[in-house]
Each structure stands twice: as structure tokens, then as C-alpha cells.
Amino acid sequence: MTDAALPEAWQRAELPELPAGAASVDDFARTIYGRTPTGGHVTDVVLRSREEGELAHRLRHRATISCPLGDLELDTLLHLPVGTTPAPVIVALNFTGNDQTIDGDQAQRWPYAAIAAAGYAVLTVDYRQIEPDDPAPTTPGVRALFPAEAGSWGAVGAWAWGMSRCLDIAAAIDGLTTAGAVALGHSRLGKAALWAGAQDERFVLTVSNDSGCCGASLFRHPGGEDIAAITSRFPHWFVPSLSAYAGLEKSLPIDQHQLLACIAPRRVYVASAEDDAWADPIGEYLAVVAATPAFEGGGIGYHVRAGGHDLLEEDWRHALTFAQR
Ligand code: GTR
């Protein structure tokens, strides 16, 4: 989208003063997401079922990941495009279970035919199987499988870690390649995708869809969710010390355009929706503009579409077009 097509207020809004390239992954670990512990490796990937399809084959695997204090089991759902071998893989977590992406309440967010037609495989896992989305989880997630001193990572950090393990799992499956891998996520899972992309260089493209506060949106652009709101509703997502910045966004040592810049020179694509005020589409756009100097030759892309907070086929199509460039 060109600047000329954007609402005037967006063009007039001020950019943050912090230089795009001045913050590191460590800075973001310390301030927002917590430190991702090392360790945790895939020991087993077992095929559970395979259904042949016209455009994509549907494969289910059970993977075992050995962590310092026990094993984590992940059930993956893979759509493998027919006729592209090996296919590059998109890793994208889902909210309500793998089957819901096929014919349940999430199906409209997963246009599997269009993804296969673009030549991409897509591998998904229920994010709750990596780490429950709960401030006081009753079932343990991966954070319980690492010693406490390994880090104070939040749930978003755990989901990002899970995306990297999904890439390890993909590497063990025939017909796929992790070269050209994409990390993609919507909303809280868009925050996780950005953090995964910043840490794991195997992701050559990171796609954030409506990721908002602590995702692609600038803290310093007022509007939508802020630190007070996000840390009080979701205290388990980030390092506990983030809440000390509630109402003090301007004193944060970092801002989110710098997270986008941490991914450079690998590519980033940010998708916003006009009516998604809670995710602050203007703040997301301004983060992309402010991050642009860190990228070369079109390494960062953006679109804003009509409508609200959702992941639509339209969002996928724009992101896939960018990926294919
Ligand atoms: C909201 C939250 C956002 C966003 C969203 C989602 O309640 O305030 O940060 O993550 O949930 O994940 O759908």
C-alpha cells in the first residue's frame, strides 16, 4: 500500500525517536518476553494419519520434544501441497485445536487451498499444547519442563519457542524443506510469531496479523491496548517487570519498530485491519515506517484492509504474494 492511499492522519502521526537498529533481541528478552532457555529437542516424529487431497495432502504427526524436566508432546497438522517438492513451510499456531482449522470455528482463518496453490506447506499446532494461556495453569506447559532458573519467560515466549520446535518437526518430515520457512500468527499468536522470527534465523519471513500491543504496534503511539491493560489481563504473557511501565510507555528503553528491525535483513510483513482499534493499526503502520531503514530493497511489507480483528483469506493472499516475491 502506498502512503498516498493512507488516511491523512496516519501520514501526519509522529514516528518514535528511538533508532530502528538500536535494540537487540536481548533487550526485548529483558524488557518484554523473557529469556528463552536453550535446550529442548525433538526426539521423535511419528506419522499418525495421512489423507490424500487434490490440492494438498493432510498429515498428522505426534512429536516428542525432550526438555530438561520431561517430555512435551505436540500433535501437528500439516497440509502438504501437491506438486511442490520439497515445499517451503509456514509455521502458524492455532487457537482452538487442529481440527477446528479444517471444518470448525477457525476454518475461515485457514484457507488451505489458497496456501497450497501458492506452493506452501503449512504446519499448525494448538498453542495451548505448548503452554496454557492461563495466569494460573492447571495443566503444565513447556515452562514447567525447564528449571525455574532457566529463565523468566512468559507464555508468548513459550509459544515462540514452540514455533521453532515446529520447524524442527518439519525438518524431520519428507516432502518439506525448512529453507524459506515462514512464521505467521494472528493477534497474540502474531506477537509470538514476531518473537520467534526475531530469535530463529531459519524463519526467512515473519508475518504478523493484527498483533497489536507487544506485537507490531508502537508503544509510543497512543491508542488501543496499552501496557496497563495487557499486563493486568494477561500477566502470564510477559516478564512480570513489564507492568512497571504501565502508563509510562515513553520511558520504555525499546519500542516495537525495533523488534521488527531485529528480524532484518530477513523479511517482515505486517497486516492490519482498519476497524481493529484495540490492535492500533496506525501504531502498526508507523512501526513499519520506522523500521524500514533497517531493511533493504522491500524487505518489509504492510497492508491494511477493511474490517475488524480477524485473520482472513485476504490477509493470507497478501502475505503469500509478499512471500513469493
Ligand atoms: C486480546 C488482547 C490482545 C490480542 C487479542 C487476541 O484480548 O488484548 O492483545 O492478543 O486478545 O489474541 O485475540
Side-chain angles (χ1 to χ4, degrees), residues 95 109 127 133 156 159 186-191 210-215 225-226 229-230 233-234 237-238 276 278-279 309:
F95 283 93
R109 289 185 170 173
Y127 82 130
D133 193 353
V156 168
W159 300 325
H186 169 63
S187 205
R188 68 197 68 186
L189 300 178
K191 307 179 210 295
D210 303 352
S211 62
C213 183
C214 299
E225 189 171 30
D226 59 12
I230 204 165
R233 291 176 63 213
F234 307 107
W237 282 2
F238 308 110
D276 186 13
W278 192 238
H309 190 69

Side-chain angles (χ1 to χ4, degrees), residues 13-272:
E14 279 175 42
L15 295 177
E17 281 160 20
L18 303 173
S24 64
V25 165
D26 270 358
D27 294 326
F28 281 93
R30 200 176 314 115
T31 314
I32 301 184
Y33 307 103
R35 208 164 296 284
T36 309
T38 51
H41 56 276
V42 175
T43 53
D44 223 6
V45 178
V46 179
L47 180 66
R48 304 296 285 260
S49 68
R50 181 185 169 105
E51 296 159 54
E52 304 295 304
E54 219 171 279
L55 283 168
H57 305 312
R58 181 176 290 162
L59 286 76
R60 291 181 169 85
H61 292 83
R62 161 68 63 91
T64 305
I65 305 169
S66 165
C67 299
L69 303 179
D71 287 350
L72 180 75
E73 307 284 348
L74 292 183
D75 294 299
T76 63
L77 172 65
L78 171 68
H79 283 79
L80 200 54
V82 174
T84 313
T85 321
V89 64
I90 300 172
V91 172
L93 305 180
N94 72 74
F95 283 93
T96 59
N98 294 344
D99 289 338
Q100 296 298 319
T101 72
I102 299 169
D103 50 17
D105 65 9
Q106 297 286 303
Q108 79 290 346
R109 289 185 170 173
W110 297 83
Y112 285 127
I115 299 166
Y120 275 88
V122 56
L123 186 141
T124 189
V125 173
D126 183 338
Y127 82 130
R128 301 167 300 182
Q129 213 182 9
I130 301 164
E131 179 68 29
D133 193 353
D134 191 335
T138 47
T139 54
V142 69
R143 291 190 296 167
L145 297 176
F146 282 85
E149 66 269 22
S152 64
W153 47 336
V156 168
W159 300 325
W161 174 93
M163 294 184 78
S164 287
R165 299 296 73 77
C166 285
L167 211 45
D168 300 343
I169 295 166
I173 300 173
D174 286 344
L176 277 180
T177 173
T178 55
V182 178
L184 181 148
H186 169 63
S187 205
R188 68 197 68 186
L189 300 178
K191 307 179 210 295
L194 287 169
W195 185 227
Q199 297 177 94
D200 190 334
E201 295 191 354
R202 294 174 298 169
F203 290 116
V204 302
L205 169 63
T206 301
V207 181
S208 146
N209 193 80
D210 303 352
S211 62
C213 183
C214 299
S217 164
L218 291 175
F219 289 113
R220 285 168 174 77
H221 182 261
E225 189 171 30
D226 59 12
I227 292 176
I230 204 165
T231 57
S232 57
R233 291 176 63 213
F234 307 107
H236 56 296
W237 282 2
F238 308 110
V239 288
S241 52
L242 181 62
S243 63
Y245 289 97
L248 299 171
E249 273 78 359
K250 288 203 169 116
S251 58
L252 272 169
I254 47 83
D255 211 324
Q256 293 304 91
H257 63 302
Q258 296 177 313
L259 178 64
L260 305 182
C262 280
I263 300 172
R266 290 169 296 118
R267 298 192 299 157
V268 173
Y269 190 81
V270 174
S272 301

